[in-house]
Amino acid sequence: MADADESGPPVFRLIYQSHSRIPKTDRPTVLGEIFSQARANNKGADITGALLITDHYFAQVLEGPQSNVEELYGRISADPRHERLAVLDSGTVEHRAFGKWSMAQVSAAGHADIPLHTANGQIHPAAPSHLTAEQSKVFATMRNAIGADTV
């Protein structure tokens, strides 16, 4: 099952990296809060994407209407839980690579990615599926930028 949403108009995609400022002891709680908030807020803003987390870095892809993605990135840029943000890529693409993912945690090295989808207004883990070529390409950009495994 492909996760790309090839219907609809072109979409804006932004990929960035940052350095985490979250102390190791606080990570499970803080990251849980980040995911819960992102999943709830992103659905209402028509934003989909994925977040890669390592011990020291974040890399995230956001897809949606350009104004919504740029507004979210502005809020993300001001978040004190990370620093040294850098945009890796941005621009309009023909379709979402993560159209069925409200937000997904992506493994840093060798662990399964955790795609999520919405069903009946709630977030659920998606059935295991193969990544599309576009998803693999985006993940490679994210992982390579922060020194995680290469894909």
Side-chain angles (χ1 to χ4, degrees):
M1 174 175 109
D3 283 315
D5 180 4
E6 297 184 23
S7 62
V11 66
F12 186 74
R13 178 183 296 155
L14 184 142
I15 306 170
Y16 75 91
Q17 72 178 47
S18 65
H19 182 263
S20 175
R21 298 185 73 222
I22 303 169
K24 187 173 185 172
T25 56
D26 297 342
R27 282 188 196 133
T29 301
V30 173
L31 294 176
E33 292 168 358
I34 288 172
F35 272 93
S36 293
Q37 184 177 14
R39 289 174 188 144
N41 294 342
N42 291 355
K43 181 179 178 185
D46 192 25
I47 294 174
T48 56
L51 174 66
L52 183 142
I53 303 165
T54 67
D55 283 344
H56 303 288
Y57 293 94
F58 295 110
Q60 186 169 22
V61 56
L62 303 168
E63 297 175 327
Q66 184 170 352
S67 61
N68 294 8
V69 170
E70 289 176 341
E71 181 181 327
L72 175 58
Y73 182 70
R75 288 193 310 270
I76 288 169
S77 296
D79 190 322
R81 296 176 290 196
H82 59 163
E83 61 192 359
R84 301 194 312 256
L85 280 80
V87 173
L88 303 173
D89 189 32
S90 68
T92 302
V93 294
E94 289 188 32
H95 61 270
R96 294 175 191 254
F98 304 95
K100 295 183 180 178
W101 300 22
S102 71
M103 185 51 58
Q105 180 176 354
V106 179
S107 65
H111 303 291
D113 295 329
I114 308 167
L116 303 169
H117 71 101
T118 57
N120 299 322
Q122 296 187 350
I123 306 300
H124 303 279
S129 65
H130 297 288
L131 295 176
T132 67
E134 184 69 11
Q135 290 169 337
S136 294
K137 179 182 168 186
V138 172
F139 286 157
T141 298
M142 294 164 66
R143 288 183 171 123
N144 292 338
I146 63 175
D149 66 327
T150 55
V151 185

